[in-house]
Amino acid sequence: MCMTCCEAIEKGVVAINPCLCGAPETQAAMHRIEADISRRQFMGGSAAVIGMFAGFGLAPRELRAQSPGRPMVLTNLRFFDGVTLAMQTGRDIVIEGGHITALPATGAGPQDADIIDCGGRSVTPGLIDCHWHATLVSVTQLAALTQDIAFVHLVAGQEAGATLMRGFTTVRDTGGPVFGLKMAIDRGVVSGPRIFPSGAMISQTSGHGDFRLLNTLPRMPGNAPDYTEATGVAAIADGADEVLRRTREQLMRGASQIKIMAGGGVTSLYDPLDTAQFLQEEMEAAVRAAADWGTYVCSHVYTPEGIQRALRAGVKSIEHGQLADLETVRMMREEGAWWSIQPFLQDEDSNPRSDPVQQQKAEEVARGTVRAFEMGRSEGVSMAFGTDILMNPGGSQSQGRQLAKLTRFMPPLEALSMATGRAGDLLALSGPRDPYQGRLGIIAEGAHADILVWDGDPENDLDFLGDPGANLRLVMKGGRIFKEQLA
């Protein structure tokens, strides 16, 4: 402020105005700052943002993209297309604009192209995990329920990059505050898989998504949401009207599908595994709200009663279901529902369970797993692969190994199709809420160019999936290469 103005104020000629936002000098300074910010953004803002995240190990690791105006051609390969249960040869894969545009005979594709020689290796579509919790996979249960949510998100960002490096180019997130992570990945701030988000898991009071401690009961109308609700991990709803509200909130946030809890679970302490959760009319409210947005509801549930109630309500994807009986499995097939199933075998890769109640429930589920896979296959239910690695730091490294375990129940390429072509068909149920609008999990004209190159033969076994660091030679997502070790 000039001296003349100061003297005028001291003499009372001019009133003191503590806010100088509208002063010409202030406005001129702001214009200079805005211009400088714009210039800096243009010159290197993106690099600055990426550099900031690099300090946390979250910087995108994309190696290169397709040359402008030139297609990319993968050649000298054997490939599994995600659907046909045989390896195919004698073709190249042409990629333009992030999509597969042609599968010509070897050497018959465009000549003016970036050529990638796969060295005779096996090529598969990017893998899909249909039951993943991107923000909850690599933190302990205590951390997930008590720590600063910023810490949880930073761990999730780091884990997202590791997930992509294991070859999982897409995940269906079945519960958790994942919308910000999805946005960061899609905008290139961090590297990671495509995410189909459910948002908060919708649970009844005392249900599998109710992680409150007993000393917080009873909940009164004026009580604030607990930590898991406030951070978007879960949403507790009782009655059709409340379920409708919570479902619509997740759709508003950008959910591609809705996740509800229709039965007891292993992780939670206070809901026995055999309990049926949500009345049918409550589940119907979620289904109707999702249908109004052109999408569907998936449901955590294990037991016959809970599964059948969910199917009658219109649920289209049963998550887990290891305790189903034959009648229930046949009902799944007749209703055209998907069975999103995991190899819960109570082995070295299982989620850690320190509480005896959790351990007993996990053992019961494991006993039903083998029979569930056998019934699902024999009855012709549409089945897709998921892991549900949850609150298990370090456990995510078993993601590919868990897919390989499916060869205990079926031939290797059939197992691989559960994490590629079949999984892509399940994701397509999101219809207009599909965030990526395109075919996933297959190598075919028009599909997203999510492609992996492996040392290993998926016709014989899938053991190589368990060590992606050694066996995964190329990772491509949307035509962009994030790993290349083909030499």
Side-chain angles (χ1 to χ4, degrees):
M1 186 178 295
C2 65
M3 184 62 67
T4 302
C5 293
C6 291
E7 292 174 352
I9 290 171
E10 289 174 356
K11 294 178 179 179
V13 176
V14 177
I16 296 175
N17 180 7
C19 178
L20 299 176
C21 299
E25 295 86 355
T26 304
Q27 291 296 308
M30 289 301 298
H31 287 313
R32 289 194 299 272
I33 292 171
E34 288 172 356
D36 186 56
I37 289 174
S38 297
R39 181 181 61 83
R40 290 173 183 270
Q41 287 176 333
F42 180 78
M43 296 294 292
S46 296
V49 171
I50 291 172
M52 176 182 68
F53 278 91
F56 299 102
L58 303 180
R61 289 181 285 178
E62 177 190 338
L63 297 181
R64 62 187 174 94
Q66 179 182 327
S67 297
R70 286 165 57 93
M72 185 182 295
V73 177
L74 275 64
T75 189
N76 189 15
L77 54 87
R78 304 168 65 240
F79 74 95
F80 171 61
D81 67 6
V83 179
T84 307
L85 300 184
M87 296 294 286
Q88 302 182 45
T89 59
R91 292 185 177 275
D92 290 341
I93 303 172
V94 180
I95 297 160
E96 297 181 76
H99 290 78
I100 299 169
T101 56
L103 297 169
T106 301
Q111 298 304 305
D112 184 20
D114 296 334
I115 305 297
I116 297 179
D117 187 336
C118 297
R121 296 180 175 89
S122 299
V123 173
T124 71
L127 302 177
I128 300 171
D129 192 324
C130 287
H131 196 110
W132 190 247
H133 296 277
T135 51
L136 303 175
V137 57
S138 290
V139 292
T140 65
Q141 185 166 349
L142 180 63
L145 301 181
T146 63
Q147 293 297 306
D148 190 309
I149 195 63
F151 168 75
V152 175
H153 286 310
L154 284 170
V155 173
Q158 187 176 59
E159 175 57 45
T163 303
L164 183 62
M165 290 300 102
R166 290 191 292 269
F168 286 85
T169 55
T170 302
V171 297
R172 184 178 61 149
D173 192 279
T174 49
V178 76
F179 297 112
L181 177 61
K182 177 187 179 299
M183 183 184 299
I185 293 171
D186 292 347
R187 295 186 179 184
V189 177
V190 299
S191 60
R194 303 176 191 272
I195 296 178
F196 281 68
S198 299
M201 301 170 275
I202 301 176
S203 169
Q204 68 171 46
T205 293
S206 76
H208 183 50
D210 187 348
F211 291 99
R212 293 174 298 166
L213 300 176
L214 294 180
N215 62 7
T216 66
L217 304 180
R219 180 176 183 172
M220 305 304 290
N223 291 154
D226 82 326
Y227 176 83
T228 57
E229 291 180 278
T231 56
V233 173
I236 299 174
D238 295 294
D241 289 347
E242 194 65 16
V243 171
L244 196 63
R245 182 193 306 274
R246 300 303 172 214
T247 299
R248 287 171 172 165
E249 286 175 348
Q250 303 318 306
L251 292 168
M252 182 178 179
R253 287 179 176 272
S256 53
Q257 66 283 321
I258 295 297
K259 166 77 172 296
I260 65 171
M261 305 303 203
V266 174
T267 305
S268 45
L269 294 176
Y270 304 120
D271 59 321
L273 203 59
D274 62 295
T275 57
Q277 297 176 10
F278 277 134
L279 303 176
Q280 184 171 324
E281 55 264 33
E282 292 176 308
M283 287 191 275
E284 287 173 348
V287 169
R288 291 178 64 186
D292 283 345
W293 282 56
T295 188
Y296 69 100
V297 172
C298 63
S299 178
H300 161 103
V301 63
Y302 285 103
T303 63
E305 181 181 354
I307 295 170
Q308 292 188 25
R309 184 183 294 182
L311 293 172
R312 286 192 294 270
V315 168
K316 293 299 182 185
S317 178
I318 299 300
E319 308 299 311
H320 314 314
Q322 276 83 352
L323 303 183
D325 57 19
L326 184 58
E327 176 189 359
T328 303
V329 172
R330 288 174 174 170
M331 186 176 177
M332 276 193 265
R333 180 195 63 209
E334 292 163 3
E335 294 294 330
W338 280 86
W339 196 348
S340 170
I341 190 168
Q342 305 74 36
F344 289 155
L345 298 170
Q346 197 63 353
D347 56 14
E348 67 279 1
D349 294 325
S350 298
N351 293 323
R353 312 292 181 196
S354 58
D355 188 277
V357 174
Q358 293 177 325
Q359 293 171 355
Q360 183 275 325
K361 291 194 286 188
E363 290 168 0
E364 185 178 351
V365 169
R367 287 193 295 269
T369 294
V370 175
R371 185 165 179 261
F373 273 101
E374 292 173 347
M375 287 191 297
R377 291 188 69 229
S378 64
E379 295 300 322
V381 179
S382 297
M383 302 174 74
F385 166 78
T387 57
D388 195 28
I389 301 169
L390 183 65
M391 302 175 188
N392 184 1
S396 62
Q397 297 176 27
S398 73
Q399 195 174 16
R401 186 165 63 244
Q402 301 224 33
L403 174 54
K405 290 178 186 179
L406 299 193
T407 58
R408 172 176 175 177
F409 313 112
M410 63 194 74
L413 288 181
E414 183 180 341
L416 190 55
S417 73
M418 285 182 59
T420 53
R422 291 189 191 177
D425 289 341
L426 170 53
L427 297 182
L429 292 183
S430 292
R433 302 287 78 78
D434 178 343
Y436 305 103
Q437 290 301 315
R439 302 168 71 190
L440 292 165
I442 60 173
I443 294 177
E445 290 186 19
H448 287 289
D450 297 352
I451 296 175
L452 311 174
V453 180
W454 299 91
D455 284 335
D457 185 357
E459 279 189 312
N460 293 328
D461 65 68
L462 299 181
D463 292 345
F464 60 89
L465 299 177
D467 189 359
N471 299 320
L472 182 52
R473 295 295 183 171
L474 182 141
V475 176
M476 177 186 294
K477 189 187 82 168
R480 296 177 177 271
I481 295 173
F482 289 82
K483 177 181 181 179
E484 183 178 359
Q485 296 178 350
L486 293 172

